[in-house]
Amino acid sequence: MSAIATDVTVRIYGASELGVLAQTAPGPAHPRVEYVGGEVFVGLDHRDRGSAVTQGETEGADAGFRDALRAAVSLVGELPSAVERAVVIEDEALAAAVLLDPSRVAGLELSGDPVVFPFARDRVVIVGAEDQAAIARTLDVAEELFDADRPLVSAHPMVLTDEGWAPFPWRERVPELAMRFERVLRLFSVRAYDVQTVALQRPDVHIAPAKIRVLESGVTTTFATWPQGTATLLPVVDNVIIADPSGTLSVATLTQFLDAAGDAVVRTGLSPARYFVPGDQPAAPTA
């Protein structure tokens, strides 16, 4: 590990990206990462190759890997100043340093405990847990990144606790923004499924894409279509559209669909999660 310690840079990973890499670069070829919190991990890239430091390279060298992480993090500078009570980090190495060493946020002028939004490798935002206006502006950033078709990491914010980064309980802390959070989480989920779909393509199974629908009430929901009689990998969505061979469509919530399926449908180990629906089951739920 010491041989690459001076030739690496930090890399931020989301759980969904690692889930895809588990299919495309499994086992020894999989990136070696350290868990940070929520859906976020940090690993290392070789500077000269632009490729990940893998599990195969670091087998039996846990201490060396962590030393290399610390050495890479020690080279980054200081956090930028807060603007409108938000710190926006556009440098991946600096963002990784904050995630691995939360003490770096000490002294920031924020309203409440620091909350980090790891939207993208080059767009990590830190605001105060009590600053509803800053949190709302941060959710605007998430939508801008989605609309720009940028690679995303995670929409799940984390708050700094005595034990480190932990999931931020936004439903309790900022209930007024619940609809905004739900929308952003669904947008990021659909993007993660889009990326996963490419990696999962195979001739014998339909990979159902997740889609967005905005209701007249303004609520953002997700849906996927199951062509009845077709073996399908189904994403976790709000609603399932069942298309029978005659062309008739019916709609069920995911819970209703799974209840009707019983043991016929199996949750896979994929990340983001999908359910395997066999070709001849289940029957469509009755209205």
Side-chain angles (χ1 to χ4, degrees), residues 122-205:
D122 60 353
R123 198 67 57 87
V124 172
V125 183
I126 304 173
V127 297
E130 308 302 326
D131 197 336
Q132 181 172 312
I135 293 173
R137 291 194 299 271
T138 302
L139 294 174
D140 290 339
V141 172
E143 296 210 34
E144 291 167 5
L145 292 169
F146 177 84
D147 290 340
D149 202 24
R150 296 277 295 279
L152 304 174
V153 174
S154 174
H156 291 275
M158 298 179 290
V159 63
L160 186 58
T161 70
D162 292 340
E163 287 75 37
W165 297 113
F168 176 56
W170 49 267
R171 288 184 179 86
E172 302 168 13
R173 303 291 290 275
V174 284
E176 298 84 357
L177 296 176
M179 186 180 293
R180 292 288 315 280
F181 269 99
E182 294 284 6
R183 172 173 167 79
V184 167
L185 290 170
R186 280 164 172 75
L187 293 178
F188 275 53
S189 171
V190 165
R191 178 62 52 75
Y193 279 122
D194 284 346
V195 176
Q196 186 192 62
T197 294
V198 175
L200 293 177
Q201 289 298 332
R202 48 187 289 183
D204 57 336
V205 177

Side-chain angles (χ1 to χ4, degrees), residues 241-284:
I241 298 175
I242 301 104
D244 73 20
S246 70
T248 301
L249 302 179
S250 57
V251 181
T253 66
L254 181 64
T255 298
Q256 291 170 336
F257 183 82
L258 296 177
D259 286 346
D263 295 336
V265 173
V266 178
R267 187 182 177 98
T268 70
L270 294 169
S271 178
R274 286 186 191 259
Y275 288 89
F276 175 70
V277 185
D280 54 356
Q281 292 288 337

